[in-house]
């Protein structure tokens, strides 16, 4: 039967310029014989350089008037790209069913032309010398949905103090310069407000990859509100010093910090108050005094040498404009010395505390205390003392100056032993010192207590004393050290053990750090009986009383070892550890064994160890418990029966000998 050629249909389509589209979704394939497509051919009739074209994985731009053949299995890899400009062109497609090609089917592809983007910036205000990102002001749109690929900016303000653009490649773009920036770098474009107030015109446009938008102009106005500084009227004592910064109140509607201040003293009398700075110890009246804001804390006013009032002035600069001058009156008044007191106090030995909590001050004029002096009258090496961050142990008989602002950093440490010290304090109100006030500091300590209850141990049994020892301290002091004492003098009595002495002699004080308490052990005596032992604790200052406890060593019970009667073939070997049975009423492990061979015949069985391959009969064979697996028994060279023996040692006593029969059979 004759084949019917297949048919491919495709409608006309439109794409946005440079847009990509898979061709497969547009195609409809039909074959009346039911044959599947084997391959396709495409043809591009558009010859313009900017017309649409086909793309496959083997050619990323197929030339017009070229037959493009594609396997049906690769149809999904065929794309068409719209032209770079608006227009139409005719494209073609046909299919092959394995026998015949279908007719060419043409379709029209229309490229929709690009619409230029739009970018706008409204007129804006920026505080002088303030930075902002240009992208915060931009509004971009594109009718085709194209993203901007780059921007251009233009600054028409030519004054030296005008606003300007900044990018990561140029920190001050000159006016009347085209500034081109990739859209990916838009966040790196900043505008700085002018250094003085004023307005200028700036411009922006955007590129969507095909066309530039129109330039959009916007007005940038650099603004500033002058700051405000005020100082209230104040009184100060005759010849008193005060930093003027404590009197000033500064504000700026724009949030600008002050960059400098000016002061003016209108008091011309020789005895009037005056300004002081590090570079002029007495500023003359009617002089403008310039001070950097960073140095404001170094501007002082000295009260007049006699009572009276005068007018002073201050104004501030925010980096752009000066505030108005503000006047304030300074009145010099007489001064009364302050009063400082500390009551008698007690501290635990070596305890730290801040005397700030003990101190009471008053001043008749309400003057703030500016500094303190302390004095330690205790001369003993173990007496209490003062501490400050710049001196960890102030010597007694020394005047210790402490700023009122640093009072919280002054500490007193109780003496390292109990006792009393006389200490002193006085206060300064900026003009006069108070009288010295004495107070007694008593260093106290409560001795700790330590206890161990009576205990019993099996003979030679070990126990950790940390499990028996209890200690307490009324002051809450940590125990730093213990001492132990063994009152049992018998050679077989219990004794103490530490890592540095495996058997402490009786009648010896044994010092043990509290951190090492877990490393002291006691061993029960090797014979039954009792020993009196002692413990005491040290809290870093005092020892507790000795506490005695009775350690009872229980008598040892000899262990039991046995081997049942055994039968071996001639010259057959047997490992003794598999035959041996051991028990101990006290739970003591065996430390050694002895074996004895009662068979004296030349062909009788015998014992073997790794140190002797044939132990002679009638010999006591000593074997460590750790080496029991190295003991073997061999059947005789001929048949017969003999008696052998075993006993065990638990570290204190031997068990009775146990006899067992060894029978050698063929």
């Amino acid at each position: 039967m004759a084949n019917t050629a297949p048919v491919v249909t495709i409608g006309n389509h439109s794409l946005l310029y440079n847009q990509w589209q898979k061709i497969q979704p547009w195609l409809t394939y039909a074959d009346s014989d039911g044959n599947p497509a084997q391959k396709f051919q495409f043809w591009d009739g558009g010859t313009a350089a900017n017309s649409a074209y086909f793309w496959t994985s083997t050619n990323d731009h197929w030339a017009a008037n070229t037959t493009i053949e594609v396997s049906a299995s690769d149809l999904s890899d065929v794309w068409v790209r719209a032209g770079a400009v608006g227009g139409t062109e005719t494209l073609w497609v046909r299919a092959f069913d394995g026998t015949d090609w279908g007719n060419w089917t043409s379709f029209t592809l229309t490229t929709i032309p690009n619409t230029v983007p739009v970018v706008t910036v409204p007129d804006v205000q920026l505080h002088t010398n303030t930075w902002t990102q240009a992208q915060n002001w931009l509004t971009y749109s594109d009718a085709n949905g194209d993203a901007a690929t780059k921007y251009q900016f233009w600054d028409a303000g030519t004054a030296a103090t005008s606003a300007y653009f900044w990018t990561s490649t140029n920190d001050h773009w000159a006016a009347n310069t085209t500034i081109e920036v990739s859209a990916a770098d838009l966040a790196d474009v900043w505008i700085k407000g002018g250094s003085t107030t004023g307005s200028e015109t700036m411009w922006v446009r955007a590129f969507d990859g095909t066309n530039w938008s129109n330039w959009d102009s916007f007005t940038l106005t650099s603004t500033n509100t002058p700051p405000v500084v005020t100082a209230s009227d104040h009184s100060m004592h005759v010849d008193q010093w005060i930093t003027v910064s404590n009197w000033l109140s500064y504000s700026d509607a724009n949030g600008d910090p002050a960059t400098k201040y000016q002061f003016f003293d209108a008091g011309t009398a020789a005895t009037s108050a005056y300004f002081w700075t590090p570079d002029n110890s007495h500023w003359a009246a009617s002089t403008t005094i310039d001070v950097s804001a960073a140095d404001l804390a170094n501007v002082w006013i000295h009260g007049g040498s006699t009572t009276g009032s005068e007018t002073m002035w201050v104004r501030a600069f925010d980096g752009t404009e000066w505030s108005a001058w503000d006047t304030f009156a300074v009145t010099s008044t007489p001064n009364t010395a302050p009063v400082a007191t500390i009551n008698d106090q007690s501290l635990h030995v070596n305890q730290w505390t801040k005397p700030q909590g003990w101190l009471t001050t008053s001043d008749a004029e309400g003057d703030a205390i500016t500094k303190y002096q302390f004095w330690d009258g205790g001369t003993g090496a173990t007496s209490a003392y003062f501490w400050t961050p710049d001196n960890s142990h102030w010597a007694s008989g020394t005047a210790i100056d402490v700023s009122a602002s640093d009072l919280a950093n002054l500490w007193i440490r109780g003496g390292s032993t109990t006792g009393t010290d006389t200490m002193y304090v006085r206060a300064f109100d900026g003009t006069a010192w108070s009288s010295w006030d004495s107070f007694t500091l008593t260093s106290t300590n409560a001795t700790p207590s330590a206890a161990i209850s009576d205990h019993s141990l099996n003979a030679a049994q070990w126990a950790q004393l940390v499990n028996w020892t209890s200690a307490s301290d009324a002051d809450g002091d940590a125990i730093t050290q213990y001492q132990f004492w063994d009152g049992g003098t018998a050679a077989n009595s219990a004794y103490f053990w530490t890592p540095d002495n495996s058997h402490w002699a009786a009648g010896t004080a044994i010092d043990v750090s509290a951190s090492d308490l877990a490393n002291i052990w006691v061993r029960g005596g090797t014979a039954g009986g009792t020993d009196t032992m002692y413990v005491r604790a040290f809290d870093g200052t005092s020892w507790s009383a000795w506490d005695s406890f009775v350690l009872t060593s229980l008598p040892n019970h000899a262990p039991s070892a046995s081997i049942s009667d055994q039968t071996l073939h001639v010259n057959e070997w047997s490992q003794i550890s598999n035959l041996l049975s051991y028990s101990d009423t006290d739970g003591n492990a065996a430390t050694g064994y002895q074996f004895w061979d009662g068979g004296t015949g030349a062909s009788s069985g015998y014992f073997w160890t790794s140190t002797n391959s044939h132990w002679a009969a009638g010999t006591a064979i000593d074997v460590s418990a750790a080496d029991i697996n190295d003991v073997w028994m061999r059947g005789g060279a001929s048949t017969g029966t003999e008696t052998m023996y075993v006993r065990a040692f638990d570290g204190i006593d031997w068990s009775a000998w146990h006899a067992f029969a060894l029978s050698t059979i063929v």
Side-chain angles (χ1 to χ4, degrees), residues 51-302:
S51 67
Y53 59 87
F54 286 105
W55 178 99
T56 66
S57 58
T58 60
N59 190 330
D60 57 7
H61 188 146
W62 282 93
N65 297 328
T66 303
T67 300
I68 307 165
E69 190 163 291
V70 178
S71 164
S73 62
D74 293 330
L75 182 60
S76 62
D77 288 337
V78 181
W79 292 71
V80 65
R81 188 187 190 201
V85 297
T88 60
E89 56 198 285
T90 302
L91 304 174
W92 305 77
V93 63
R94 66 174 180 171
F96 183 65
D97 65 0
T99 303
D100 295 298
W101 282 98
N103 292 326
W104 285 100
T105 298
S106 66
F107 63 98
T108 300
L109 177 63
T110 301
T111 297
I112 301 169
N114 183 53
T115 302
V116 297
V118 175
V119 64
T120 59
V121 174
D123 293 339
V124 289
Q125 290 186 343
L126 193 60
H127 183 51
T128 53
N129 295 316
T130 300
W131 291 98
T132 192
Q133 286 176 293
Q135 69 176 4
N136 295 333
W137 294 343
L138 297 183
T139 300
Y140 173 86
S141 63
D142 188 280
N144 306 125
D146 296 330
T149 60
K150 55 185 175 179
Y151 292 87
Q152 286 183 344
F153 297 89
W154 182 278
D155 175 12
T158 57
T161 59
S162 67
Y164 60 87
F165 287 101
W166 177 100
T167 65
S168 56
T169 60
N170 189 330
D171 57 8
H172 188 146
W173 282 91
N176 298 325
T177 303
T178 301
I179 307 165
E180 190 161 292
V181 179
S182 162
D185 294 330
L186 183 59
D188 290 335
V189 181
W190 293 73
I191 297 177
K192 187 185 188 189
S195 57
T196 59
T197 58
S199 296
E200 58 201 283
T201 303
M202 292 183 166
W203 306 75
V204 64
R205 66 174 181 171
F207 188 65
D208 65 358
T210 303
N211 297 106
W212 283 100
S213 69
N214 293 322
W215 283 102
D216 181 67
S217 66
F218 61 96
T219 299
L220 173 64
T221 302
S222 299
T223 63
N224 184 64
T225 302
V228 175
V229 64
T230 58
S232 302
D233 296 340
H234 283 275
S235 294
M236 57 192 303
H237 298 307
V238 169
D239 293 324
Q240 181 183 2
W241 288 100
I242 290 180
T243 53
V244 75
S245 60
N246 298 327
W247 294 354
L248 299 186
S249 174
Y250 174 87
S251 64
D252 187 281
N254 307 126
D256 297 330
T259 61
K260 57 183 176 179
Y261 291 86
Q262 284 184 341
F263 297 91
F264 194 92
D265 176 11
T268 57
T271 58
S272 68
Y274 59 86
F275 287 104
W276 177 101
T277 64
D279 57 337
N280 190 328
S281 60
H282 188 144
W283 282 91
S286 302
T287 303
T288 301
I289 307 167
D290 280 293
V291 178
S292 163
D295 292 330
L296 182 61
N298 293 325
V299 181
W300 293 72
I301 293 180
H302 182 263

Side-chain angles (χ1 to χ4, degrees), residues 193-564:
S195 57
T196 59
T197 58
S199 296
E200 58 201 283
T201 303
M202 292 183 166
W203 306 75
V204 64
R205 66 174 181 171
F207 188 65
D208 65 358
T210 303
N211 297 106
W212 283 100
S213 69
N214 293 322
W215 283 102
D216 181 67
S217 66
F218 61 96
T219 299
L220 173 64
T221 302
S222 299
T223 63
N224 184 64
T225 302
V228 175
V229 64
T230 58
S232 302
D233 296 340
H234 283 275
S235 294
M236 57 192 303
H237 298 307
V238 169
D239 293 324
Q240 181 183 2
W241 288 100
I242 290 180
T243 53
V244 75
S245 60
N246 298 327
W247 294 354
L248 299 186
S249 174
Y250 174 87
S251 64
D252 187 281
N254 307 126
D256 297 330
T259 61
K260 57 183 176 179
Y261 291 86
Q262 284 184 341
F263 297 91
F264 194 92
D265 176 11
T268 57
T271 58
S272 68
Y274 59 86
F275 287 104
W276 177 101
T277 64
D279 57 337
N280 190 328
S281 60
H282 188 144
W283 282 91
S286 302
T287 303
T288 301
I289 307 167
D290 280 293
V291 178
S292 163
D295 292 330
L296 182 61
N298 293 325
V299 181
W300 293 72
I301 293 180
H302 182 263
S305 56
T306 60
T307 59
S309 294
E310 59 201 282
T311 302
M312 293 184 169
W313 306 71
V314 63
R315 66 173 180 171
F317 188 65
D318 66 358
T320 303
E321 296 180 83
W322 284 100
S323 69
W325 283 101
D326 182 67
T327 64
F328 59 99
V330 175
T331 302
S332 299
T333 63
N335 182 57
T336 302
V339 175
T341 58
I342 292 180
N343 295 328
D344 294 341
Q345 303 289 335
S346 293
L347 279 181
H348 182 50
V349 290
N350 295 320
Q351 180 185 353
W352 290 99
T353 194
K354 295 182 183 183
Q356 180 181 30
W358 299 344
L359 184 61
T360 301
T361 58
S362 62
D363 189 277
E365 286 91 33
D367 297 333
I369 303 302
T370 60
K371 60 181 175 179
Y372 297 87
Q373 279 186 343
F374 294 86
W375 182 281
D376 176 10
T379 57
T382 60
S383 68
Y385 59 86
F386 288 103
W387 178 101
T388 62
D390 57 336
N391 190 330
S392 60
H393 189 145
W394 281 93
S396 61
T398 304
I400 306 166
D401 284 293
V402 178
S403 163
S405 61
D406 289 333
L407 183 59
N409 293 324
L410 174 75
W411 293 74
I412 293 180
R413 190 184 191 199
S416 57
T417 59
T418 57
T420 60
D421 298 278
T422 302
M423 294 182 165
Y424 302 84
V425 64
R426 66 175 180 169
F428 187 66
D429 66 358
T431 303
W433 284 100
S434 70
S435 299
W436 285 102
D437 180 67
S438 66
F439 62 98
T440 299
L441 178 64
T442 303
S443 299
T444 65
N445 184 61
T447 58
S449 64
I452 294 179
S453 301
D454 295 340
H455 285 275
S456 295
L457 289 177
N458 290 328
Q461 182 183 355
W462 289 101
Q464 276 180 295
L465 288 181
V466 69
N467 299 323
W468 295 352
T469 306
S470 64
S472 62
D473 189 278
D475 301 316
D477 297 333
I479 302 303
T480 61
Q481 193 173 0
Y482 292 87
Q483 279 186 342
F484 295 89
W485 182 280
D486 177 8
T489 57
N492 55 8
S493 68
Y495 61 86
F496 291 109
W497 177 100
T498 63
D500 55 337
N501 190 330
S502 60
H503 188 145
W504 281 92
T508 305
I510 306 166
D511 287 294
V512 178
S513 165
S515 61
D516 290 332
L517 185 59
N519 291 326
I520 183 165
W521 294 70
V522 64
R523 188 184 192 224
T526 56
T530 60
D531 296 278
T532 302
M533 294 181 163
Y534 302 85
V535 64
R536 67 175 180 168
F538 188 64
D539 66 358
T541 302
S542 305
W543 284 100
S544 70
W546 285 102
D547 180 68
S548 66
F549 63 99
V550 175
L551 179 64
T552 301
S553 299
L554 303 175
N556 186 57
H557 297 85
S560 172
S562 63
I563 295 177
S564 59

